[in-house]
Amino acid sequence: LQTYPYDMPAATVCKLHNIALLLFLLLLFGGVALQQQIKNSLLPADQSNYNDVTTSVTSTQPNNKSTAEDEKAGECLLPLQNLSQGAFVQCRKSSPSQECLTASEFWERQCYLNMTESVRFYHLGKGGGGTIIFSLVENGIVVRRDHPRPSTHGIEELLSGPVTTLLINIRDPLDRFVSAFNWRSLLFCQRDGEHRKKYPSEVDDKDRGRYQPHLRPQEFCYEKSSFQKEATIIQRLYNDDINKLAESLCEESSNFEHAVEHTKFISHAKLSMEGWLRPLLLDTNTTSIKPQGLTKFMAITFEQQSGHNSSLLEHTHEAVQQLYFDHGVDEETLDILMSRKTLRLPRVSEMMTHSSNSTAKRKVLGAVGKCCLARFLEDDYRLIQSMLGDANASNVLDPFEYVHPIIREACEWGSPTRRQLCRADLQSMLHRRAEFLDRSLGTCRDAVTLVDES
């Protein structure tokens, strides 16, 4: 039940007294018609008074639902008892193992579909993965997540089973790299003028779990000793400036080899998308997937196209639907289940905010730096080109010679509209970097000069 403010208007209090009286009459005399009359005529009118009420585990239920719909929502959801292999219902609040749950009970008992055996999520840092995982949990799905790198034994599970579905979040490689550098730069304590509490020396032992800097970057920062090598590289060698690192990654730079080594110590940036998926990019003879292994590859894109902002939440919503359908839950059952959904995580909108939104230390990357970094990440863009397939080949960048065919199915799931939007997102990533990836223009400084003159 929702909780209401103590300073309610007198008219509202009177209204609630009337509701209580009618409910008392209902208990005395019963009757479905009277119950429906109370539900339809009184509750919607009162609902507007409580729009600003904050609760931790409840959400507003749909109004004006018919009796038939209510009855369906109160029925046992049989498909949840007959899920396909690789998924099962698990509840945090105990329930009889053989009991068939209703939609309301599914959420009240904090149940979810455990897909950790069949679904793997490759969570690439600074690419919207936090939003995706929170959305899955909020919609009753738990999968196995690899972060910040693939598990050592996970590749065999993809090729031989039991994993049948691989999710991956895809953001423009250059944007993701810059975001990773700026994020790590933000987390480290500054040598001078730092106002945040230093972690761990200035945080009580009992509070260290919840006061980690990556959870509260505006209040806490990591001491250099926590990440000695990484902090030295970001702060001392590059002075917290992504431009200095990016321009050092130009192949013509005298610092190129050292800069490449330095990237291997920057969390989230040190492993490229190509590095995550490398086992699927070798000769198909050496990466054959067995029948019981991977059958679906689902890319969830995070891109801001010119004139259209691709909604990460829209993509994730369809991913939720697809996972339910793939594991034996039909559309009608899913609709009933979602009609009774309650909010599981307090302040979920805050938790889903992209963690690198802080602009405290963000520096703008110049054109030369963008070119150098794009060319350094060229294999990631070739991988994106491989996902699009030959039908969408560009004149600037060739796809990989060998990729497992499932790579080309990255966008081939969900509705036709979502598939088209996914391909458009990938094409947008390539288009935005095409002038930098075109090596016929010469060095990055030559390329930038030519682009500026044209």
Side-chain angles (χ1 to χ4, degrees):
L1 293 177
Q2 288 188 326
T3 57
Y4 302 111
Y6 291 108
D7 56 345
M8 287 186 296
T12 303
V13 175
C14 182
K15 190 77 168 180
L16 291 176
H17 286 170
N18 290 337
I19 294 174
L21 177 60
L22 287 172
L23 289 174
F24 176 72
L25 293 174
L26 175 63
L27 291 174
L28 287 178
F29 302 108
V32 173
L34 180 58
Q35 182 181 13
Q36 193 62 37
Q37 180 182 358
I38 294 171
K39 184 174 185 180
N40 291 340
S41 64
L42 295 179
L43 291 184
D46 289 340
Q47 191 63 52
S48 61
N49 291 332
Y50 314 120
N51 285 340
D52 60 343
V53 175
T54 301
T55 57
S56 60
V57 285
T58 61
S59 64
T60 302
Q61 300 296 341
N63 293 325
N64 300 318
K65 290 183 67 68
S66 67
T67 303
E69 289 174 325
D70 286 337
E71 289 176 353
K72 282 187 177 182
E75 293 176 355
C76 164
L77 298 179
L78 289 175
L80 297 183
Q81 287 189 314
N82 300 288
L83 297 171
S84 61
Q85 187 175 0
F88 61 93
V89 174
Q90 193 167 3
C91 302
R92 290 187 173 90
K93 293 184 178 179
S94 60
S95 61
S97 58
Q98 300 301 317
E99 181 180 353
C100 186
L101 298 169
T102 65
S104 296
E105 289 171 338
F106 181 88
W107 302 108
E108 289 168 1
R109 295 184 177 180
Q110 298 180 23
C111 302
Y112 55 90
L113 266 61
N114 187 323
M115 302 180 185
T116 54
E117 182 179 292
S118 59
V119 181
R120 183 67 50 84
F121 174 36
Y122 274 7
H123 176 180
L124 277 63
K126 317 321 297 173
T131 296
I132 294 170
I133 201 69
F134 280 129
S135 184
L136 292 175
V137 171
E138 278 302 302
N139 287 283
I141 292 176
V142 174
V143 302
R144 172 74 178 272
R145 181 181 70 138
D146 282 6
H147 181 77
R149 65 188 65 84
S151 62
T152 54
H153 61 280
I155 299 302
E156 183 60 30
E157 293 178 346
L158 293 179
L159 301 179
S160 303
V163 176
T164 57
T165 299
L166 176 62
L167 276 68
I168 187 169
N169 58 305
I170 299 180
R171 184 183 184 185
D172 183 302
L174 189 154
D175 290 340
R176 192 175 78 86
F177 188 101
V178 172
S179 180
F181 181 94
N182 287 332
W183 174 241
R184 299 302 292 178
S185 173
L186 173 66
L187 293 183
F188 296 134
C189 298
Q190 294 299 293
R191 287 168 285 182
D192 301 310
E194 180 60 74
H195 67 279
R196 297 174 294 178
K197 288 187 177 181
K198 296 179 175 58
Y199 185 95
S201 65
E202 296 180 2
V203 179
D204 292 339
D205 291 346
K206 61 182 178 61
D207 293 328
R208 288 180 181 175
R210 56 179 177 151
Y211 289 156
Q212 297 180 61
H214 70 274
L215 299 175
R216 300 189 177 195
Q218 304 302 336
E219 302 173 54
F220 303 91
C221 61
Y222 286 116
E223 293 174 296
K224 185 177 178 180
S225 58
S226 300
F227 300 91
Q228 184 76 34
K229 184 72 172 180
E230 184 182 10
T232 298
I233 289 171
I234 291 176
Q235 292 185 328
R236 295 186 61 184
L237 297 185
Y238 297 103
N239 197 29
D240 294 302
D241 190 346
I242 181 60
N243 272 289
K244 292 184 177 180
L245 174 58
E247 292 187 15
S248 295
L249 289 170
C250 270
E251 293 166 352
E252 59 270 22
S253 169
S254 59
N255 295 322
F256 175 72
E257 293 184 1
H258 292 296
V260 171
E261 287 299 310
H262 295 156
T263 64
K264 297 177 182 178
F265 293 92
I266 301 175
S267 181
H268 299 317
K270 59 186 176 184
L271 188 60
S272 65
M273 180 169 61
E274 181 271 338
W276 279 81
L277 295 174
R278 188 168 297 153
L280 299 176
L281 306 180
L282 304 174
D283 187 334
T284 53
N285 291 330
T286 63
T287 59
S288 58
I289 298 177
K290 298 179 181 178
Q292 64 271 31
L294 194 62
T295 59
K296 180 168 289 185
F297 179 50
M298 299 170 60
I300 302 178
T301 53
F302 178 28
E303 167 74 347
Q304 293 186 341
Q305 298 181 41
S306 177
H308 178 82
N309 287 337
S310 171
S311 171
L312 180 62
L313 285 176
E314 289 176 3
H315 287 300
T316 306
H317 175 70
E318 287 217 31
V320 167
Q321 290 182 319
Q322 188 68 56
L323 291 175
Y324 270 105
F325 295 158
D326 289 349
H327 289 82
V329 177
D330 59 89
E331 185 173 0
E332 181 182 11
T333 300
L334 182 58
D335 287 343
I336 294 172
L337 189 63
M338 292 303 164
S339 72
R340 290 296 186 266
K341 186 180 75 170
T342 56
L343 188 64
R344 296 186 169 200
L345 298 175
R347 298 180 299 171
V348 69
S349 59
E350 296 179 20
M351 299 173 73
M352 292 173 68
T353 300
H354 199 259
S355 57
S356 59
N357 278 344
S358 173
T359 57
K361 297 177 61 178
R362 182 176 299 172
K363 290 183 171 63
V364 178
L365 186 62
V368 173
K370 287 180 181 179
C371 178
C372 298
L373 194 50
R375 292 185 179 186
F376 173 68
L377 298 168
E378 181 176 307
D379 281 348
D380 275 10
Y381 290 102
R382 292 183 66 197
L383 175 54
I384 291 173
Q385 184 66 73
S386 300
M387 291 177 183
L388 288 167
D390 297 335
N392 297 279
S394 71
N395 297 323
V396 175
L397 205 61
D398 292 326
F400 284 110
E401 182 178 1
Y402 295 111
V403 295
H404 195 282
I406 203 167
I407 290 291
R408 300 188 183 96
E409 299 176 10
C411 291
E412 302 306 309
W413 60 273
S415 67
T417 300
R418 197 222 63 83
R419 296 183 185 203
Q420 183 178 5
L421 185 55
C422 176
R423 289 190 288 267
D425 282 348
L426 297 182
Q427 289 167 346
S428 173
M429 296 175 195
L430 293 175
H431 177 74
R432 289 200 290 129
R433 311 305 178 192
E435 60 189 22
F436 301 138
L437 295 168
D438 186 355
R439 293 182 180 272
S440 68
L441 299 179
T443 67
C444 278
R445 295 194 183 278
D446 293 336
V448 170
T449 300
L450 289 172
V451 170
D452 288 342
E453 292 175 352
S454 60

